[in-house]
Amino acid sequence: MLTHAHWDHSVNYTLFPNADVWIGKVEMDWATAVPAGFNPLPELYVQDLARHPRLHLLADGERFLDGFTAHLCPGHTPGCLVYRLEGNEHPVVFSGDAAKNRAELLSMATDMTMDAGASRASLDRIWTLWRQVPGTLLIPGHDLTMRLDAQCRPEYIGQRRAGIAAWFNEDLAVMDEFDITAPRF
């Protein structure tokens, strides 16, 4: 399941040669029409994906597989999708890059968007999907999974950590690790 066609979200489909691939029709129509050049689309992969024998193009609101629904949330790209999974203990909303992180969800502003107005509307839609059922998990494109607390503010499931591991020794088995995790607010 691909949320959009940018290289960091789409090129790995080739690692799964027997898999069905799901992506939005609006996204593929846009991505295949973009001329080659310096942009975040992997043009050759997109053209190949468009001919994939098990490619499934999704429409807004379409239910597919077992419990998944596709929701069109444009802005980051014209056909970006958010997926909602129901039927398990807690529903899950996977926002991909329509809401890349907690900062975008709280500020209601997005970074790296093709259309800021559409992205703002998509953030509203994501919040609506997230609030529908208490306990719903939200998985952003580039952050930890979150759940809403009693005040309807995101709280992380898991721990955010950052660090650097480097060799300052003549032995490759010896690495120095530097924790650069930001303080928790």
Side-chain angles (χ1 to χ4, degrees):
M1 294 173 15
L2 305 176
T3 57
H4 63 294
H6 282 165
W7 66 270
D8 60 328
H9 291 263
S10 67
V11 298
N12 68 347
Y13 80 90
T14 61
L15 299 174
F16 307 96
N18 299 317
D20 287 333
V21 180
W22 304 82
I23 192 170
K25 180 179 181 344
V26 171
E27 184 72 0
M28 283 304 292
D29 288 348
W30 164 74
T32 55
V34 172
F38 186 74
N39 64 60
L41 284 174
E43 297 92 347
L44 299 176
Y45 281 86
V46 168
Q47 297 303 324
D48 182 69
L49 178 59
R51 296 184 299 274
H52 193 283
R54 286 186 302 285
L55 177 67
H56 303 276
L57 300 175
L58 296 165
D60 184 33
E62 186 173 340
R63 294 184 62 79
F64 65 106
L65 296 175
D66 188 19
F68 284 94
T69 305
H71 299 275
L72 184 61
C73 288
H76 182 68
T77 62
C80 199
L81 289 179
V82 166
Y83 296 111
R84 181 178 175 87
L85 171 63
E86 297 172 310
N88 47 339
E89 182 180 353
H90 298 287
V92 177
V93 174
F94 180 65
S95 67
D97 281 0
K100 294 176 278 309
N101 53 54
R102 179 183 178 139
E104 289 186 343
L105 289 163
L106 291 175
S107 70
M108 297 302 286
T110 53
D111 184 37
M112 295 178 277
T113 182
M114 294 181 71
D115 183 333
S119 284
R120 174 66 166 81
S122 290
L123 288 172
D124 286 335
R125 189 168 195 193
I126 291 165
W127 273 98
T128 298
L129 291 168
W130 198 7
R131 288 180 177 133
Q132 279 179 349
V133 177
T136 295
L137 300 173
L138 184 129
I139 304 171
H142 298 274
D143 208 340
L144 288 177
T145 299
M146 295 175 243
R147 177 181 295 137
L148 294 175
D149 66 15
Q151 289 76 37
C152 209
R153 292 192 45 90
E155 63 181 9
Y156 288 116
I157 308 298
Q159 181 184 18
R160 293 178 77 189
R161 295 192 62 227
I164 298 171
W167 291 283
F168 289 108
N169 193 299
E170 290 79 25
D171 184 348
L172 287 177
V174 178
M175 292 194 78
D176 290 296
E177 293 187 20
F178 303 91
D179 185 356
I180 58 171
T181 303
R184 188 164 185 206
F185 299 101

